[in-house]
Amino acid sequence: MAVYAAIFKDIKMPGYIGKPILMRGLKHIKLGRRVRIFPNARFEVHGNGEIDIREDVSIGQGFHITSQGSLVVNSGTVISGNVVVTNIDHDYEDISVPVLLQRHIVRKTKIGKNCFIGFGAVIQAGTELGDHCVVGANSVVRGHYPDYTVVAGVPAKVIKVYDHSMKKWVSAL
């Protein structure tokens, strides 16, 4: 971690970064205390984007995150392996131009405190997860989800909510 201190925008100790596949735009990435990033991560920051991963976050192997705007992962969150998080969409409106050459559409993406994101989930541009959200494995998530919800599926929808009076998770279906 000490080696990274000179090249990241901000990095707090202690923490762990396994061998990454790619790290682009390190001067625009902040990592809080006790952030654990397991091997084969891919971090990409484009233009004036920024990635801010707050303290006590654990990120599984094969994580891929891309940002061209502000992208925040709040404290206490657990992200399982092979998860993708982005705030970038590719425009595809002009069929005379390859999609890769069209503009990026940047939408605010934020993951709340103490969330759990299951294996293989995709958190798309424009997603805002509230605090204590749980995302099911292999879910494709886009939208705004309130605190204390479980979302799952393709596309993801709210399947459970936490009932504070009963002190348990209940079906939202």
Side-chain angles (χ1 to χ4, degrees), residues 45-155:
V45 180
H46 302 276
N48 293 323
E50 182 174 276
I51 295 171
D52 184 359
I53 299 176
R54 309 270 166 88
E55 66 182 34
D56 291 318
V57 172
S58 179
I59 298 172
Q61 75 282 354
F63 178 64
H64 187 171
I65 188 168
T66 61
S67 178
Q68 194 168 330
S70 175
L71 197 157
V72 175
V73 177
N74 276 293
S75 62
T77 291
V78 175
I79 300 174
S80 300
N82 295 342
V83 168
V84 174
V85 177
T86 186
N87 62 10
I88 303 168
D89 279 325
H90 288 271
D91 199 355
Y92 56 89
E93 292 298 319
D94 186 347
I95 62 169
S96 69
V97 176
V99 172
L100 189 59
L101 299 178
Q102 294 191 43
R103 70 184 181 97
H104 287 161
I105 301 167
V106 179
R107 294 185 173 100
K108 180 180 179 182
T109 301
K110 183 185 112 197
I111 297 172
K113 293 179 184 176
N114 302 313
C115 291
F116 177 85
I117 300 176
F119 192 90
V122 176
I123 309 299
Q124 295 184 308
T127 298
E128 294 189 40
L129 295 176
D131 295 343
H132 296 272
C133 284
V134 175
V135 175
N138 295 312
S139 295
V140 177
V141 184
R142 183 190 302 260
H144 295 244
Y145 298 92
D147 297 348
Y148 303 99
T149 55
V150 176
V151 300
V154 180

